Amino acid sequence: MRLTKFEHAALLLEESGKKLFIDPGSFTSPLTDTANTVAIVITHEHADHWTPEQLKRVVEMNSDVPIFAPEGVARAAEDFDITVVHAGDTVEAGPFTLRFFGGRHAVIHESIPVVDNLGVLVNDELYYAGDSFVIPEGVELDVLAVPAGAPWMKVAETMDYVLATKPKRTFPTHEMVLSRAGKDLSNARIAWATEQGGGEFFALEPGDTLDL
């Protein structure tokens, strides 16, 4: 399985000629080459994780593609056929097995509502928690997508998340809110935390790939 990192929170997984997109949102360049997509996963309803325009770029090329997301996304994306999933669910889409965890977005501020959010484990290899630090209990993590910067987190929490999960490999995500200097700082902290558990950090930039 091959991972391609796009800007911010968007990821592409490819296996046996089939594609899975995760969280293509407003901070991500318009998706291209979306043919042969067998599923889309949206972790939560915030615009930096999905937009109608990004979904249309996939659906227009793959009319029956399922879109897996929590209930909050189904309400926000009412023009699309959303398949609602919950924590504990497992679904199959082509060569991809998707397991869902969590349930709620991390708190941004007491004045801002907490929305539905699901983490997803793909083929028992890649775990991405969306906007949360939910740990998938009982799972030995191979590759962990690690949030590098967001209004709902500080880098100390990210470091503790990596230390707690001890993944074999990590890479940064959710980084488009950071300057270049901020990305470099977060990368260094994530790398340190990864190495404490014997893992390896990959400083992926948009367009970079990683074979899983």
Side-chain angles (χ1 to χ4, degrees):
M1 186 168 66
R2 169 163 289 189
L3 160 75
T4 301
K5 178 190 159 36
F6 296 144
E7 297 94 344
H8 202 54
L11 306 174
L12 167 64
L13 285 305
E14 296 176 273
E15 176 73 20
S16 303
K18 304 300 182 181
K19 299 173 184 176
L20 164 70
F21 285 97
I22 302 176
D23 279 4
S26 58
F27 296 164
T28 302
S29 297
L31 298 181
T32 60
D33 193 18
T34 63
N36 298 314
T37 299
V38 296
I40 305 169
V41 171
I42 302 172
T43 61
H44 64 285
E45 65 196 72
H46 292 158
D48 57 325
H49 292 256
W50 82 279
T51 68
E53 295 78 14
Q54 294 282 38
L55 292 189
K56 287 176 183 176
R57 293 183 181 104
V58 182
V59 173
E60 286 174 357
M61 295 290 292
N62 310 271
S63 59
D64 296 326
V65 63
I67 304 171
F68 299 107
E71 292 178 0
V73 174
R75 291 190 294 269
E78 58 184 11
D79 291 335
F80 296 89
D81 184 10
I82 305 296
T83 299
V84 173
V85 287
H86 302 89
D89 287 350
T90 299
V91 299
E92 305 284 340
F96 304 104
T97 299
L98 310 174
R99 298 171 58 192
F100 295 94
F101 298 85
R104 303 296 282 169
H105 193 288
V107 174
I108 302 172
H109 185 264
E110 62 182 12
S111 66
I112 300 174
V114 177
V115 301
D116 296 334
N117 178 92
L118 287 174
V120 61
L121 179 68
V122 182
N123 288 354
D124 290 328
E125 292 182 287
L126 168 71
Y127 181 65
Y128 171 50
D131 282 8
S132 78
F133 291 118
V134 168
I135 295 173
E137 296 296 332
V139 176
E140 184 175 337
L141 292 181
D142 183 1
V143 181
L144 177 67
V146 183
W152 49 269
M153 56 153 280
K154 56 185 178 181
V155 73
E157 294 173 312
T158 287
M159 295 168 71
D160 285 342
Y161 178 55
V162 176
L163 291 170
T165 53
K166 297 181 175 64
K168 296 176 183 176
R169 292 179 284 178
T170 62
F171 68 93
T173 189
H174 213 286
E175 83 291 1
M176 293 302 285
V177 295
L178 300 176
S179 66
R180 180 70 260 173
K183 292 179 184 180
D184 292 342
L185 185 151
S186 289
N187 282 351
R189 300 293 186 264
I190 296 168
W192 176 87
T194 303
E195 291 162 1
Q196 303 315 297
E200 183 177 6
F201 173 72
F202 294 83
L204 299 185
E205 294 287 339
D208 287 350
T209 62
L210 183 66
D211 288 327
L212 309 186

